[in-house]
Amino acid sequence: MHFIRGLFVATLVVLSIGCASAQIAGSGTQIIIPVVTSSVSFVSQIVVKDESGTAHSLSFEFYEALSSDTPGKKICTSVSLAAFETKTVTLAACPLVAGNHHGFVILTDISATKDKLFYAFTRVENPAASGFTVEGYPIGHIGGGDADSEVAGVKRRTSTNPVIQTNCFVAALDGDIDYSISLDVAGAQTLPTVPETLHAGQMRRYLDIFALAGAPLPDYDNVTVTFSKNDPAQWPNTMIAFCTVQDNTSFGADFRIAKTLEAADPSQARLNCFAANFGATDCTNTLQPSAPSVPDAGTKVRLLTRVYAPDTARCSVLGPRANDLKIRLVRDFAPGTVAAGGTTNSFAYTTGARAAIGNGFHQTYFIEVDFKAGGSAVFPIPFGVQCKSGNGMMDPYFLGNFANDF
């Protein structure tokens, strides 16, 4: 029962030097590479690897940024892959004129069944073979209903060499986005050039974000850049944002994806408010009309969730009669394993190492609520549940009523 939370941060991904952010579950049938380039200074080498074990082809689309020489979508030569083949392609496969080009790429399996998995990333190199890597991301891992995203730790250095400059990028993937960019620097809160609008498939680059924001000289460290969607109606649309921090002597740089709290993913919410509304930092104690209830002393209510070890999960019963109920967490595998709680209306459960649970696979759990001995035996007793965790938990799902056994 998640609801959009206005100040939770929005969406991921895109360009730069050094090490790209790690992407663990990285295979997909459609992958976005946040930034690629073809210029006198840098060329992107796009690497793809088949993981399906079957020969197939990928469509190759280059979305050139508004801040590039020839903005707009380009349909490039498709990429053919043999079983488990690794292949390198470049923007030379796209219909480009001479000049400098940057933007993002989407690669898509075009087999008849649309189910052939592959990996992708890009390495960007200058003529001296110095460069950086940007991971490709399964497109379903990007986007969502968060309003804001952040890049932390950017800097500017003008007082000593090498001069250090921060550049930032914004793209709209699947719908219009009216957005603003702000820095947590006195006298430079919001870029005067924004708010601006991007349509689906458009990207814009901001060179020297401190200068654009009018930040007084000379130097800044540990600055946070916030990218905000201004229109709540557009929060579902995917905003891709990132910054690069480069030195202007060697043009080395690093890559900072704009991060969100939860990526609008109800399977990894740090705060879950089942059958209750969200407050500023906790759930409210006011229950929704759809809240479940314990019908009698011999019945428990079971909810399904997922916990991502290693982590600590803390859950408590909500509602005006929370003191008449108790709660526990039961691991689904091995079946019947009671993980925590069972005597009061709250519990705290520390999983231990991931390798010690379910052969290293993340597990599902049952949250169970029933009547507590000594409570007021007036039924039914409606309730909600609040859960907090570091890695996020799956939004609890109501499974039904079962015979009480705790």
Side-chain angles (χ1 to χ4, degrees), residues 221-296:
D221 288 300
N222 298 318
V223 171
T224 296
V225 182
T226 300
F227 303 86
S228 301
K229 300 176 188 175
N230 297 328
D231 184 352
Q234 297 174 347
W235 288 355
N237 299 340
T238 297
M239 179 172 69
I240 301 168
F242 63 95
C243 296
T244 64
V245 179
Q246 72 178 43
D247 79 74
N248 288 345
T249 300
S250 70
F251 294 100
D254 60 17
F255 171 62
R256 315 280 177 87
I257 287 177
K259 294 179 174 65
T260 70
L261 294 183
E262 297 176 345
D265 182 353
S267 72
Q268 60 175 41
R270 271 62 175 181
L271 172 65
N272 297 90
C273 299
F274 178 82
N277 294 320
F278 290 93
T281 59
D282 294 288
C283 310
T284 69
N285 205 43
T286 302
L287 301 181
Q288 299 171 356
S290 59
S293 61
V294 173
D296 52 61

Side-chain angles (χ1 to χ4, degrees), residues 11-17 19-21 32-36 102-105 122 132-137 142 151 168-172 203-204 238-244 254-258:
T11 339
L12 294 89
V13 66
V14 220
L15 163 75
S16 198
I17 279 190
C19 293
S21 180
I32 182 170
I33 299 177
V35 69
V36 296
H102 63 271
F104 63 89
V105 157
T122 186
F132 58 94
T133 298
V134 178
E135 295 289 345
Y137 296 82
I142 296 173
V151 176
C168 295
F169 300 71
V170 181
M203 174 186 277
R204 185 176 285 117
T238 297
M239 179 172 69
I240 301 168
F242 63 95
C243 296
T244 64
D254 60 17
F255 171 62
R256 315 280 177 87
I257 287 177

Side-chain angles (χ1 to χ4, degrees), residues 201-213:
Q202 293 183 334
M203 174 186 277
R204 185 176 285 117
R205 177 182 63 188
Y206 296 88
L207 292 176
D208 197 344
I209 199 76
F210 286 91
L212 290 174

Side-chain angles (χ1 to χ4, degrees), residues 21 30 41 49 71 78 87 92 152 176 228 259 287 346 373 397:
S21 180
Q30 187 173 48
S41 301
K49 181 183 184 294
S78 61
K87 179 176 286 187
D176 290 356
S228 301
K259 294 179 174 65
L287 301 181
S346 66
Y397 177 80

